[in-house]
Amino acid sequence: MGKGKLVKFAEMKKMKNVFEYPYSVIDNVPFPMKGHWREQYFHNPNPIVLELGCGKGEYTVGLAKLFPNINFIGVDIKGARMWTGAKQALEQNLPNVAFLRTQIELIDRFFAKDEVQEIWLTFSDPQMKNPRKRLSSTFFMERYRKFLTDGGIIHLKTDSNFLFTYTKFMVEKNNLPVNFCTEDLYHDTPETLIGSPLLTIQTYYESMWMERGLNIRYMQFHLPYTPPLVEPEVEIPLDDYRSYRRSKRSSLETSK
């Protein structure tokens, strides 16, 4: 680990808005704030919204500034990236922001039933080779049901046609109610989103992808408690581009 990362990790341990519970910790020590985020951290009764795979926390911080009466929690395992958003939130005195460093596979260990109202999945790794690792898969949706309110909202914002198409099939297969669905958010904006402050937030990588001419896709749907979810059995063409500063994701042509 580089010296810069070591410095950031050391700083994060002192940040009052950061909670670090990787698998090695949470497996032995239960999270004491589960079910009590509002009383013990935010000190208000406002809704809680998660950003899963928050990276540098640009979206978490951006949303918190736009909606001061909503509590936002960014979740990721990459601490050196998360440091950026956590530091900004402290410097800008945003009391409605927190960050949780952990594996998203463990997310249901940190929140109690009905504790969360919405989830954002912003530019998640498409995980084209492994359906169970996709953050919009039924595997993860069943985890979200453990703490999301009945009919809570899921936002998916992605540059990946593969992930967007997969999620559409998953939503259709399970008859989940859809509010918005567009394959080109900034050029085919749903009428009720025109002028929305949500369109003013762009992450660093989102800007890079837009400069390269990639469409930004967006979907917003509801996740009811029941019935049991069914994984779609479909073949989806893989993304054929190289992500910014990343090698080609797969040499396969299609994946389930």
Side-chain angles (χ1 to χ4, degrees), residues 133-144:
K133 288 188 176 182
R134 295 171 202 155
L135 295 187
S136 61
S137 69
T138 57
F139 175 79
F140 275 100
M141 291 294 154
E142 292 293 0
R143 273 174 160 69
Y144 306 155

Side-chain angles (χ1 to χ4, degrees), residues 208-244:
M208 294 297 100
W209 288 318
M210 290 178 66
E211 287 179 6
R212 294 172 60 200
L214 297 177
N215 292 350
I216 303 302
R217 297 162 170 84
Y218 174 70
M219 182 186 303
Q220 181 188 122
F221 59 94
H222 296 267
L223 182 62
Y225 285 157
T226 58
L229 299 175
V230 179
E231 186 71 14
E233 291 293 331
V234 292
E235 297 289 332
I236 304 171
L238 301 188
D239 296 334
D240 59 359
Y241 62 88
R242 295 175 182 269
S243 291
Y244 184 68

Side-chain angles (χ1 to χ4, degrees), residues 79-99:
R81 296 179 186 174
M82 183 182 289
W83 171 88
T84 301
K87 189 173 180 65
Q88 288 177 352
L90 290 175
E91 291 175 345
Q92 296 176 32
N93 193 29
L94 298 175
N96 60 328
V97 177
F99 287 91

Side-chain angles (χ1 to χ4, degrees):
M1 185 180 297
K3 184 177 180 180
K5 286 187 176 181
L6 290 174
V7 171
K8 290 178 179 179
F9 274 110
E11 287 187 17
M12 285 181 62
K13 291 184 181 299
K14 300 177 182 178
M15 291 179 174
K16 62 182 181 180
N17 61 349
V18 175
F19 301 87
E20 299 187 86
Y21 279 81
Y23 183 81
S24 58
V25 175
I26 194 65
D27 200 42
N28 298 309
V29 182
F31 186 64
M33 214 156 55
K34 180 178 181 178
H36 304 286
W37 281 90
R38 290 181 178 86
E39 309 97 278
Q40 296 184 13
Y41 179 77
F42 292 112
H43 306 295
N44 65 53
N46 298 335
I48 292 177
V49 177
L50 306 185
E51 184 193 3
L52 303 182
C54 68
K56 294 182 179 181
E58 296 153 293
Y59 232 81
T60 300
V61 172
L63 288 169
K65 291 166 68 175
L66 288 174
F67 304 101
N69 293 323
I70 299 177
N71 302 316
F72 294 91
I73 304 174
V75 184
D76 209 313
I77 192 59
K78 302 290 187 179
R81 296 179 186 174
M82 183 182 289
W83 171 88
T84 301
K87 189 173 180 65
Q88 288 177 352
L90 290 175
E91 291 175 345
Q92 296 176 32
N93 193 29
L94 298 175
N96 60 328
V97 177
F99 287 91
L100 173 63
R101 191 173 80 84
T102 193
Q103 287 91 346
I104 297 176
E105 289 84 351
L106 308 177
I107 192 64
D108 53 305
R109 301 193 189 189
F110 298 90
F111 301 95
K113 182 177 174 62
D114 295 332
E115 193 169 17
V116 174
Q117 280 64 52
E118 298 183 25
I119 293 174
W120 278 84
L121 307 176
T122 50
F123 302 97
S124 309
D125 187 327
Q127 295 289 348
M128 293 187 285
K129 293 183 179 181
N130 192 339
R132 286 173 65 89
K133 288 188 176 182
R134 295 171 202 155
L135 295 187
S136 61
S137 69
T138 57
F139 175 79
F140 275 100
M141 291 294 154
E142 292 293 0
R143 273 174 160 69
Y144 306 155
R145 277 177 162 178
K146 295 179 181 179
F147 55 82
L148 193 65
T149 54
D150 189 15
I153 293 176
I154 306 288
H155 303 262
L156 173 71
K157 193 176 184 186
T158 180
D159 66 300
S160 169
N161 179 65
F162 177 90
L163 184 62
F164 186 77
T165 303
Y166 163 79
T167 307
K168 283 179 61 178
F169 278 121
M170 187 279 296
V171 166
E172 291 169 2
K173 180 74 173 180
N174 293 284
N175 297 309
L176 302 181
V178 177
N179 290 340
F180 305 111
C181 184
T182 174
E183 295 194 15
D184 192 347
L185 178 61
Y186 297 104
H187 298 98
D188 185 22
T189 308
E191 185 174 350
T192 52
L193 282 181
I194 295 176
S196 169
L198 293 177
L199 300 182
T200 65
I201 308 174
Q202 292 182 9
T203 68
Y204 172 74
Y205 286 112
E206 180 176 1
S207 298
M208 294 297 100
W209 288 318
M210 290 178 66
E211 287 179 6
R212 294 172 60 200
L214 297 177
N215 292 350
I216 303 302
R217 297 162 170 84
Y218 174 70
M219 182 186 303
Q220 181 188 122
F221 59 94
H222 296 267
L223 182 62
Y225 285 157
T226 58
L229 299 175
V230 179
E231 186 71 14
E233 291 293 331
V234 292
E235 297 289 332
I236 304 171
L238 301 188
D239 296 334
D240 59 359
Y241 62 88
R242 295 175 182 269
S243 291
Y244 184 68
R245 292 181 180 173
R246 295 180 187 174
S247 59
K248 193 170 183 180
R249 287 169 171 160
S250 175
S251 59
L252 301 176
E253 293 183 354
T254 60
S255 180
K256 291 185 178 181

